[in-house]
């Protein structure tokens, strides 16, 4: 890919990322505008924590949860597709698809009686819920590979580990990243609601604005959450596209 | 060659159940709502004989998977249902022994061991369903046994000291209101988006060039987190409501049902219209052609051929949409739309765990039921198409 093409390709995520960056730093300067939206409030810019801190914390929560669910999800999907774990394949497939009928809010709420308030239960709930799309997509990805291809890889003398890393994973990468994308999108939204269970996230301004009837706070939080979600989604979308053509050129 | 493989799934799951049954607190007891509860292990809560009976059932499940019996899965299923029957009975027994009449506010609670046992039992049920190729309806009918038992102990007042039941009795009318609002919002959102989905799709079939734009827009909306979309709707709706007498008269404002419904419809439109679009496109051209050839009018072809054939995929869209809407309506409680989510967030605010459960558990059940209902309906249409 030439430089110009690459810039165009990553243009959309870059654009949303810039918007997010500018909004995080620039919202406090729009005080006059927000005063119009929430007249009668002495303070119209959320100031308990800086937006940068909220954004950082939100990203940290989602990132940690994604790390846990990607590693656990990949590991369990790989385990059940190997000969020694095949017994568990029907169960895991069924649970991964049935689990997604549970609304993420309910999972988040149920984490509290079991684990208490704070950031840790949020991460646990996010990673547990985020596990499902990753497991499901990894299974779909691995099963969509032509068995003849695996057979020939084995026939070339590749070890099972080599087949996994050099054939199965690259061929399934596109679908796996699709699962990661779903998981991260849901988790960014759920982490925002996590501020009701005591995690510090971009949901804080929204919740505090709703409680105090301060529309300006709500708007600031909502803009940042929306921009974060759109940025992350477009990044992962491009990553997904970036992975697929490379495969084609190899085969 | 008919050597049945000994499977490891059931033994692993039963061992996990045994472990959680014996190592964690099974039930708990609170003298009143505020004092933290004390946990009871399984043998302390149920007494030795009962706890051993349940252990024996689990051990029997393990043993059965090492046999070569043809009916071992059926045996395991019977054991599992018997085990599940013990759970409501155990609750009732524990309540009658532990709660003295002198403490009218005492409550019994379900502890982590019980929940985990329930979780592993659900996994075993799913595994057995797959192994025995049972339909979900049959499993549901079997599950009716423990559920009827639960209803019986509830109805006869044997578990009125259970914390969840106490929370419910204290708020039964509120709960019914919340349930009604929740269902109304979900049905409203799904209904409106189904109608507008058909409208959108017919527009897209008329003018194919808007297809990419509309799906792009709907996809974009789908990416925006619910809390953000609800928040973004408050200011414009509030502004409109302050300007319009009519909107005020139908109770529209920045918070409440109006932004909730708008956001729910916005989220529902993508899965619904995508599925309607795909479903109508996928009907084979030859089928339509032969229907026309039989002398059917355009309307007849649509109603009698195209729509029934497209139905399974459309219903799949309705399934996804209603499950999604059930969850999102819970979030809408934050902007004052009511519904079961209000129990969750009130419970979180007061750190009242049983109130959180009172909101979250019905939401889970609703989502599961919607899933069951619409996948069942889609299956019916699919079978009808085959015949």
């Amino acid at each position: 890919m030439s430089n110009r093409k690459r810039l165009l390709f990553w243009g959309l995520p870059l654009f949303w990322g810039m918007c997010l960056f500018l909004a995080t730093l620039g919202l406090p300067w729009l005080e006059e505008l927000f005063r119009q939206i929430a007249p009668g409030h002495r303070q119209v810019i959320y100031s308990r924590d800086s937006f940068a801190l909220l954004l950082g914390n939100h990203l940290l929560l989602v990132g940690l949860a994604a790390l846990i669910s990607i590693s656990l999800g990949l590991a369990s999907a790989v385990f059940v597709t190997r000969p020694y774990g095949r017994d568990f394949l029907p169960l895991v497939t069924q649970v991964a698809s049935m689990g997604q009928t549970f609304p993420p809010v309910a999972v988040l709420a149920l984490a509290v009686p079991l684990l208490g308030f704070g950031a840790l239960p949020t991460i646990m709930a996010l990673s547990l819920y985020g596990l499902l799309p990753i497991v499901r997509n990894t299974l779909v990805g691995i099963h969509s590979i032509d068995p003849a291809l695996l057979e020939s890889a084995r026939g070339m003398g590749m070890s099972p580990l080599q087949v996994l890393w050099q054939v199965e994973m690259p061929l399934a990468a596109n679908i796996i990243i699709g699962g990661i994308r779903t998981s991260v999108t849901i988790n960014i939204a759920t982490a925002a609601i996590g501020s009701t269970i005591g995690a510090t996230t971009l949901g804080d301004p929204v919740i505090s604005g709703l409680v105090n009837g301060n529309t300006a706070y709500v708007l600031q939080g909502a803009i940042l959450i929306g921009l974060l979600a759109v940025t992350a989604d477009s990044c992962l979308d491009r990553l997904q596209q970036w992975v697929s053509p490379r495969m084609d050129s190899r085969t | 060659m008919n050597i049945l493989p000994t499977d490891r799934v059931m033994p692993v799951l039963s061992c996990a159940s045994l472990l959680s049954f014996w190592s964690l607190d099974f039930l708990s007891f609170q003298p009143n709502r505020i004092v933290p509860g004390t946990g009871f292990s399984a043998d302390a809560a149920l007494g030795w004989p009962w706890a051993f009976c349940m252990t024996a059932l689990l051990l029997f499940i393990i043993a059965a998977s090492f046999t070569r019996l043809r009916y071992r899965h059926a045996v395991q299923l019977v054991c599992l249902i018997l085990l599940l029957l013990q759970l409501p009975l155990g609750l009732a027994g524990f309540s009658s022994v532990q709660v003295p009449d002198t403490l009218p506010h005492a409550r019994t609670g379900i502890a982590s061991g019980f929940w985990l046992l329930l979780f592993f039992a659900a996994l075993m049920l799913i595994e057995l369903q797959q192994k025995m190729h049972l339909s979900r309806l049959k499993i549901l009918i079997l599950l009716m046994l423990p559920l009827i038992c639960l209803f019986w102990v509830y109805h006869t007042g044997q578990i009125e000291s259970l914390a969840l039941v106490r929370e419910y009795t204290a708020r039964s009318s509120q709960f019914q209101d919340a349930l009604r609002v929740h269902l109304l919002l979900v049905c409203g959102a799904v209904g409106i988006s189904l109608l507008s989905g058909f409208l959108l799709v017919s527009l897209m079939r008329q003018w194919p060039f808007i297809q990419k734009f509309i799906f792009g827009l709907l996809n974009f909306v789908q990416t925006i987190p619910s809390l953000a979309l609800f928040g973004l709707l408050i200011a414009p709706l509030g502004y409109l409501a302050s300007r319009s007498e009519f909107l005020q008269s139908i109770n529209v404002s920045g918070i409440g049902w109006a932004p909730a419904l708008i956001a729910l419809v916005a989220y529902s439109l993508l899965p619904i219209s995508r599925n309607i679009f795909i479903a109508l496109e996928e009907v084979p051209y030859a089928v339509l052609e032969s229907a026309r050839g039989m002398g059917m009018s355009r309307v007849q072809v649509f109603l009698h051929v195209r729509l029934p054939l497209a139905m399974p995929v459309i219903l799949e869209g309705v399934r996804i949409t209603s499950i999604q809407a059930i969850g999102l309506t819970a979030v809408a409680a934050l902007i004052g739309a009511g519904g079961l989510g209000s129990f969750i967030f009130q419970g979180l605010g007061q750190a009242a765990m049983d109130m959180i459960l009172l909101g979250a558990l019905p939401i889970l059940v609703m989502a599961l039921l919607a899933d069951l209902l619409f996948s069942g309906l889609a299956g019916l249409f699919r079978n009808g198409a085959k015949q």
Side-chain angles (χ1 to χ4, degrees):
Chain A
M1 243 190 285
S2 71
N3 272 341
R4 205 166 136 233
K5 257 188 174 164
R6 192 170 297 157
L7 191 68
L8 274 177
F9 184 75
W10 292 102
L12 196 66
L14 266 176
F15 169 73
W16 288 121
M18 279 307 273
C19 284
L20 178 64
F21 179 72
L22 288 178
T24 312
L25 297 180
L27 276 181
W29 271 296
L30 298 176
E31 200 175 334
E32 279 314 305
L33 187 76
F34 284 114
R35 208 166 279 290
Q36 305 279 317
I37 292 164
H41 282 274
R42 207 144 48 89
Q43 207 175 0
V44 290
I45 300 293
Y46 184 81
S47 56
R48 195 175 325 140
D49 292 300
S50 72
F51 290 128
L53 182 111
L54 292 177
L55 176 67
N57 227 329
H58 201 119
L59 279 175
L60 193 69
L61 282 182
V62 175
L64 278 176
L67 211 64
I68 297 173
S69 33
I70 291 171
S71 38
L72 272 181
L74 283 181
S76 52
V78 166
F79 170 72
V80 297
T81 46
R82 300 308 104 183
Y84 40 84
R86 192 143 289 164
D87 281 1
F88 289 87
L89 180 63
L91 182 70
V92 169
T93 313
Q94 191 70 6
V95 168
S97 70
M98 258 179 84
Q100 286 190 72
T101 45
F102 293 161
V105 202
V107 176
L108 191 69
L110 288 176
V112 175
L114 294 176
L115 303 162
F117 287 91
L120 199 68
T122 313
I123 293 180
M124 293 288 281
L126 292 185
S127 43
L128 200 66
Y129 197 81
L131 202 67
L132 304 171
I134 295 175
V135 171
R136 211 179 74 139
N137 277 37
T138 309
L139 288 177
V140 171
I142 290 177
H143 284 306
S144 68
I145 299 169
D146 186 358
L149 219 61
L150 299 178
E151 198 55 42
S152 56
R154 267 182 238 119
M156 280 167 67
M158 280 183 159
S159 70
L161 209 64
Q162 279 176 322
V163 174
L164 177 66
W165 279 115
Q166 294 175 15
V167 183
E168 286 180 90
M169 281 296 137
L171 284 177
N174 183 23
I175 304 179
I176 295 175
I177 291 176
I180 295 175
R181 184 179 166 195
T182 315
S183 155
V184 167
T185 309
I186 296 173
N187 278 353
I188 287 177
T190 316
I193 303 165
S195 63
T196 57
I197 73 165
T200 314
T201 69
L202 284 172
D204 281 13
V206 181
I207 302 293
S208 129
L210 286 171
V211 171
N212 304 314
N214 191 335
T215 320
Y217 284 6
V218 177
L219 211 56
Q220 288 151 23
I223 289 172
L224 290 176
I225 297 169
L227 283 175
L228 174 61
V230 175
T231 309
D233 185 67
S234 61
C235 274
L236 285 165
D237 172 52
R238 289 303 139 102
L239 191 65
Q240 202 179 350
Q241 286 181 28
W242 185 63
V243 165
S244 8
R246 276 207 327 182
M247 260 172 19
D248 292 345
S249 64
R250 272 187 198 161
T251 44
Chain B
M1 282 279 284
N2 193 16
I3 300 171
L4 295 167
T6 47
D7 65 302
R8 290 167 298 153
V9 182
M10 290 302 286
V12 167
L13 289 176
S14 329
C15 283
S17 314
L18 273 178
L19 209 66
S20 47
F21 183 68
W22 282 104
S23 65
L24 294 167
D25 284 343
F26 193 61
L27 293 165
S28 69
F29 176 76
Q30 277 176 288
N32 57 47
R33 194 182 179 199
I34 293 121
V35 179
T38 43
F40 282 75
S41 65
D43 58 302
L46 303 172
W48 284 100
W50 205 339
F52 269 117
C53 275
M54 288 173 76
T55 310
L57 280 172
L58 283 167
L59 288 174
F60 206 68
I61 292 178
I62 299 178
S65 35
F66 288 104
T67 62
R68 294 276 165 85
L69 278 173
R70 253 184 88 197
Y71 298 111
R72 68 205 154 111
H73 294 312
V75 170
Q76 287 174 328
L77 190 61
V78 170
C79 286
L80 195 60
I81 297 290
L82 281 176
L83 184 75
L84 285 172
L85 268 172
Q86 305 309 310
L87 296 178
L89 294 176
L91 275 176
F94 179 68
S95 301
S96 68
V97 173
Q98 283 300 326
V99 181
D101 292 333
T102 46
L103 287 173
H105 297 294
R107 23 174 89 202
T108 47
I110 297 170
S112 43
F114 190 104
W115 287 123
L116 273 179
L117 184 64
L118 204 61
F119 173 69
F120 289 122
L123 290 186
M124 285 195 263
L125 209 59
I126 294 172
E127 170 69 14
L128 285 174
Q129 183 211 350
Q130 304 259 315
K131 281 265 157 64
M132 298 172 71
H133 306 289
L134 293 174
S135 70
R136 287 165 80 182
L137 196 67
K138 280 189 189 137
I139 289 289
L140 202 70
I141 292 170
L142 276 176
L143 271 181
M144 275 296 144
L145 279 172
L147 286 176
I148 289 172
C149 182
L150 179 67
F151 183 75
W152 175 71
V153 292
Y154 166 73
H155 197 70
T156 50
Q158 294 183 59
I159 51 167
E160 66 175 358
S161 64
L162 188 70
L164 202 59
V165 177
R166 282 234 200 274
E167 285 300 323
Y168 171 73
T169 0
R171 296 182 182 74
S172 60
S173 68
Q174 262 174 294
F175 180 84
Q176 279 150 22
D177 278 346
L179 192 65
R180 204 176 48 238
V181 170
H182 206 108
L183 281 173
L184 219 60
L185 275 173
V186 170
C187 293
V190 174
I192 293 174
S193 49
L194 197 59
L195 286 180
S196 23
F198 270 108
L199 201 74
L200 269 181
V201 169
S202 57
L203 284 179
M204 281 191 273
R205 292 170 61 87
Q206 208 83 49
W207 298 293
F209 62 90
I210 60 169
Q211 181 192 330
K212 207 174 166 198
F213 170 74
I214 288 185
F215 277 134
L217 184 70
L218 292 180
N219 243 324
F220 181 77
V221 171
Q222 199 79 17
T223 335
I224 298 184
S226 49
L227 194 62
L229 191 57
F230 287 134
L232 289 173
L233 283 172
I234 290 178
L237 265 181
Y239 176 78
L240 282 180
S242 68
R243 289 300 164 96
S244 153
E245 295 270 322
F246 169 69
L247 288 181
Q248 279 168 19
S249 69
I250 56 167
N251 235 340
V252 168
S253 68
I255 58 169
W257 66 269
L261 194 64
I262 294 176
L264 286 176
V265 171
Y267 283 122
S268 306
L269 271 175
L270 178 72
I272 285 251
S273 38
R274 188 184 50 203
N275 277 47
I276 295 178
F277 188 81
I278 293 171
L280 293 180
E281 289 288 295
E282 268 180 353
V283 176
Y285 186 70
V287 175
L288 298 176
E289 192 68 1
S290 52
R292 289 303 300 275
M294 280 167 68
M296 281 182 166
S297 71
R298 280 182 72 103
V299 178
Q300 276 177 324
V301 171
F302 185 80
L303 286 181
H304 296 299
V305 181
R306 197 164 211 169
L307 199 58
L309 284 178
M311 219 47 187
V313 181
I314 295 179
L315 280 171
E316 169 69 13
V318 175
R319 185 187 72 88
I320 297 170
T321 307
S322 35
I323 289 170
Q324 185 183 267
I326 288 169
L328 290 172
T329 307
V331 184
L334 282 174
I335 55 162
L340 291 166
S342 53
F343 288 114
I344 296 183
F345 295 116
Q346 267 181 52
L348 287 174
Q350 305 170 6
M353 300 308 161
D354 301 304
M355 209 158 147
I356 301 174
L357 288 183
L358 188 64
L361 289 180
I363 291 175
L364 285 189
V365 173
M366 265 165 83
L368 281 177
L369 285 181
D371 181 44
L372 204 71
L373 175 72
F374 289 115
S375 44
L377 276 179
L380 278 184
F381 270 97
R382 211 163 273 142
N383 288 341
K386 265 184 212 150
Q387 290 160 10

